[in-house]
Amino acid sequence: MFDTLLIANRGEIALRIQKAAKGLGLRTVCVYSEADAAAPYLETADQAVCIGPSASKDSYLNADAIILAALQTGAGAIHPGYGFLSENTAFAQAVVDAGLVFVGPDAACIRAMGDKVAAKKAMIAAGVPCVPGPDSALPYDFIEIRRIATEIGYPVILKAAGGGGGRGMRVVRTEEELAKAVAVTREEAERFFSNPDIYIEKFLENPRHVEIQMICDSHGNALWLGDRDCSMQRRHQKVIEEAPAPGIDRVLIAEVGERCARACRQIGYVGAGTFEFLYEDGQFYFIEMNTRVQVEHPVTEMVTGLDIVAMQLRAARGEAFDVVQSEISTAGHAIECRINAEDPYSFAPSPGKLTEVVLPEGEGVRVDTHIRAGYVIPTHYDSMIAKLIVHGRDRGEALARMRAALDGFHIGGVVTNIPLQAALMDEPGFVEGGMNIHHLEHWLAERSSQ
Amino acid sequence: MISIDDLDRVLGWMLKDQLQALEVSEGNARIRLKMADRPGMPAPRVEAKVLARGLGRFLVAHPRSGEPALKVGDQVVAGGIVGFIQNDAVLLPIVSAHAGQVSEVHVAAGSLLGFGAPVLTLMVEP
């Protein structure tokens, strides 16, 4: 049981974790890079330690420095947040080897879920629906590969077993393209992920991205906290998320949720995690599991009333949850807009000093952010500076509240994507709901050609 | 009370901001500094900070050397070791890039130093 938590992250999530930790009466230690020396959340931490220069590889990705900082400050646990070292097997293991608690699943779980072939095998064993295709890496015999592809039916997609985030993938539409695609994908897999294994799946043309939030303690309680729709994406980056996913049968969601919970119990999963699915024609297809808290976790918190980060910390402290699955229900509808310091249509980053920050207020409005007037956005990290989340009794009310909240959100000194988000709240496809993962890219392409 | 070191520091600021003259009054005391017109006058000393390039507890000297801690007024040579950062089994020497006289000690022995934290301020001949 620890009473001091080191937060190994930056920006809004560093502040979010700090708030949850304080709520549990924990002492907090924030580590930061030289570029973040003036970050507002360092003032509210019980202790702040600079761990290195601005470049992520020398600070937020410097596992040794972070663990040493924890040992020097008396921290008993490390929360990795999202990104950076959050899904790094070696880091999770090094934290435990140093006698500290890693807030998340153990290294073996992270490794298993990071390897897509191993993950798929585990999911099939638990009865989680997967994309059609074998649950093992492709053989080297081309005749066999061709037979498998024909059996699945074109189009198919080739993926690097160690890949992720849209890299190391190739769509194959005809048998003639197959041989070359296999060779190139295998070569990339070896070069980028040091693992030449590739696997093959049915390629879904127009799926939605729907995910299930999980939270598990170390006493066998694996709870699913409902679903999220994250189909509004640009270049595999989520732009808007909402809960629940519009227009999907709740009975089907509950069935998939139960299977995810079963999978978590089977692999001994502890902490927060997300099962990501493609959803097409009324069917769910597992794509990957994220073994960390996600950027979009607040929409689930808004509809369930649960504090996912606090539950992560409770699970890490070895506590058993005091809620059971039958007590978890969702109420109303929540939407999150990611607010980035970037040009709304060219997407060029816009770092610099904030001259004005007016946060929106109102019924059902939540803003997760670390910024204030005078804050200088560093150039070294990603451009997300806030998350605007609204909750309403239904999707229509949530949309209305988001429009009003975006209208009341003013950031001076840099350019932000607030105008894009405001335009999307009136875009007929999004307003209708249930659009596929290509919808936003198509809308942007159409807009720029006008 | 104003010391010669303080005057050096004020001269350093004047030089940096290209001020020709500076006057400070406090109660009955008044001090007026004016840049010399004559060339060849010795240039004033400037401040330089020695920073921690690692993370850990500050040691004033190697645990086995028993040397006393540096104090204000001590001389430091360029490349000289002015203390150590201890983290676990690792001892990282803190090296001064400049020769100069210690004008301020920023950390107490045993305190936690973050990356880039100031350890000493030196007055250095330009």
Side-chain angles (χ1 to χ4, degrees):
Chain A
M1 185 78 109
F2 54 88
D3 55 16
T4 300
L5 176 73
L6 182 137
I7 301 163
N9 215 297
R10 62 174 304 280
E12 68 86 19
I13 195 66
L15 180 58
R16 169 75 187 88
I17 297 165
Q18 194 186 107
K19 284 180 178 171
K22 281 175 189 279
L24 295 176
L26 298 174
R27 214 179 132 257
T28 56
V29 177
C30 267
V31 294
Y32 63 95
S33 72
E34 286 187 305
D36 281 330
Y41 51 86
L42 301 179
E43 295 163 15
T44 46
D46 292 298
Q47 196 173 356
V49 186
C50 182
I51 47 166
S54 307
S56 299
K57 69 173 173 53
D58 298 320
S59 49
Y60 300 108
L61 291 173
N62 186 343
D64 289 342
I66 291 167
I67 292 170
L68 289 172
L71 295 172
Q72 290 288 350
T73 55
I78 297 180
H79 194 310
Y82 51 67
F84 296 125
L85 292 169
S86 61
E87 292 181 286
N88 184 305
T89 311
F91 179 64
Q93 191 57 52
V95 170
V96 173
D97 291 345
L100 306 169
V101 175
F102 178 76
V103 180
D106 64 24
C109 274
I110 300 176
R111 187 182 297 114
M113 292 302 127
D115 180 328
K116 294 194 167 197
V117 170
K120 191 170 180 182
K121 240 184 197 146
M123 292 309 119
I124 288 172
V128 174
C130 293
V131 184
D135 64 347
S136 55
L138 275 183
Y140 281 81
D141 175 5
F142 182 68
I143 294 171
E144 182 60 11
I145 294 173
R146 197 171 56 192
R147 189 194 63 75
I148 294 168
T150 309
E151 195 178 296
I152 296 169
Y154 292 91
V156 294
I157 184 164
L158 298 168
K159 294 183 182 181
R167 295 192 306 157
M169 297 184 184
R170 186 158 281 97
V171 177
V172 185
R173 296 193 176 275
T174 62
E175 192 175 298
E176 290 69 51
E177 301 166 30
L178 186 62
K180 192 178 168 205
V182 167
V184 176
T185 309
R186 206 183 282 286
E187 205 251 350
E188 282 179 359
E190 169 81 74
R191 186 147 41 101
F192 297 133
F193 310 111
S194 310
N195 176 358
D197 283 352
I198 59 171
Y199 65 106
I200 190 168
E201 282 179 346
K202 175 82 185 159
F203 177 67
L204 302 174
E205 295 279 3
N206 291 304
R208 288 164 65 182
H209 175 119
V210 180
E211 55 190 34
I212 304 278
Q213 174 70 53
M214 294 301 310
I215 187 84
C216 309
D217 66 19
S218 56
H219 301 268
N221 296 309
L223 308 172
W224 63 276
L225 309 182
D227 56 317
R228 292 186 288 257
D229 189 323
C230 312
S231 301
M232 294 293 276
Q233 300 183 3
R234 179 182 167 270
R235 296 192 179 168
H236 300 282
Q237 292 295 311
K238 296 162 186 168
V239 176
I240 303 170
E241 301 98 342
E242 59 185 311
I248 299 182
D249 182 5
R250 294 290 103 194
V251 176
L252 178 59
I253 296 275
E255 195 182 299
V256 175
E258 283 301 331
R259 284 171 190 226
C260 293
R262 191 191 308 160
C264 284
R265 282 188 285 268
Q266 280 182 7
I267 61 175
Y269 196 87
V270 177
T274 303
F275 286 83
E276 295 194 334
F277 292 90
L278 295 177
Y279 175 84
E280 193 172 273
D281 299 331
Q283 296 280 326
F284 276 87
Y285 303 100
F286 171 78
I287 40 174
E288 63 182 31
M289 183 180 193
N290 292 313
T291 55
R292 53 172 160 81
V293 70
Q294 285 193 279
V295 175
E296 60 269 27
H297 75 276
V299 290
T300 299
E301 295 185 326
M302 295 294 263
V303 294
T304 59
L306 295 168
D307 183 331
I308 293 171
V309 180
M311 290 176 90
Q312 278 189 297
L313 293 171
R314 284 183 187 281
R317 290 218 287 181
E319 295 175 26
F321 295 147
D322 50 12
V323 284
V324 294
Q325 189 68 56
S326 59
E327 293 169 338
I328 295 166
S329 60
T330 62
H333 197 92
I335 302 175
E336 171 180 283
C337 286
R338 297 190 187 193
I339 306 301
N340 300 332
E342 65 185 18
D343 183 278
Y345 293 105
S346 79
F347 303 98
S350 174
K353 186 173 182 170
L354 305 180
T355 53
E356 182 196 24
V357 175
V358 179
L359 301 181
E361 289 172 3
E363 192 67 31
V365 175
R366 164 177 167 180
V367 187
D368 281 17
T369 186
H370 59 292
I371 62 168
R372 65 181 175 201
Y375 176 70
V376 179
I377 302 168
T379 52
H380 309 81
Y381 315 108
D382 78 50
S383 58
M384 192 178 78
I385 51 171
K387 303 185 307 203
L388 173 57
I389 309 111
V390 298
H391 181 253
R393 277 169 303 182
D394 51 34
R395 193 167 186 269
E397 187 175 65
L399 276 169
R401 284 181 172 172
M402 184 58 91
R403 288 186 196 105
L406 286 165
D407 194 45
F409 203 161
H410 300 288
I411 297 175
V414 300
V415 180
T416 74
N417 68 340
I418 291 175
L420 168 68
Q421 296 285 19
L424 290 172
M425 290 304 127
D426 289 319
E427 191 275 313
F430 181 70
V431 170
E432 186 195 328
M435 294 296 109
N436 68 47
I437 55 171
H438 309 300
H439 180 74
L440 177 56
E441 297 256 22
H442 288 164
W443 182 79
L444 286 167
E446 212 163 273
R447 190 187 172 279
S448 70
S449 68
Q450 279 167 10
Chain B
M1 209 178 78
I2 290 176
S3 69
I4 294 296
D5 282 345
D6 291 330
L7 289 182
D8 270 347
R9 198 173 305 172
V10 173
L11 276 169
W13 294 337
M14 290 175 70
L15 215 58
K16 187 168 140 272
D17 295 331
Q18 297 183 331
L19 297 181
Q20 285 306 304
L22 183 96
E23 195 172 299
V24 182
S25 304
E26 197 181 336
N28 292 329
R30 192 167 68 122
I31 170 174
R32 184 179 162 78
L33 298 171
K34 188 170 173 292
M35 285 293 171
D37 301 328
R38 282 177 296 140
M41 288 286 286
R45 296 187 296 172
V46 294
E47 274 188 357
K49 283 195 163 56
V50 181
L51 307 177
R53 303 320 286 176
L55 170 95
R57 299 276 156 194
F58 176 59
L59 301 187
V60 298
H62 193 282
R64 277 184 295 181
S65 81
E67 279 175 37
L70 284 169
K71 55 187 188 305
V72 172
D74 286 353
Q75 288 293 331
V76 170
V77 297
I81 293 175
V82 301
F84 287 84
I85 296 172
Q86 182 172 38
N87 207 326
D88 229 6
V90 179
L91 267 191
L92 188 71
I94 305 170
V95 178
S96 173
H98 309 278
Q101 187 180 27
V102 178
S103 67
E104 196 174 352
V105 180
H106 296 278
V107 282
S111 56
L112 180 61
L113 283 180
F115 183 91
V119 179
L120 297 174
T121 301
L122 301 177
M123 298 311 297
V124 180
E125 307 289 340

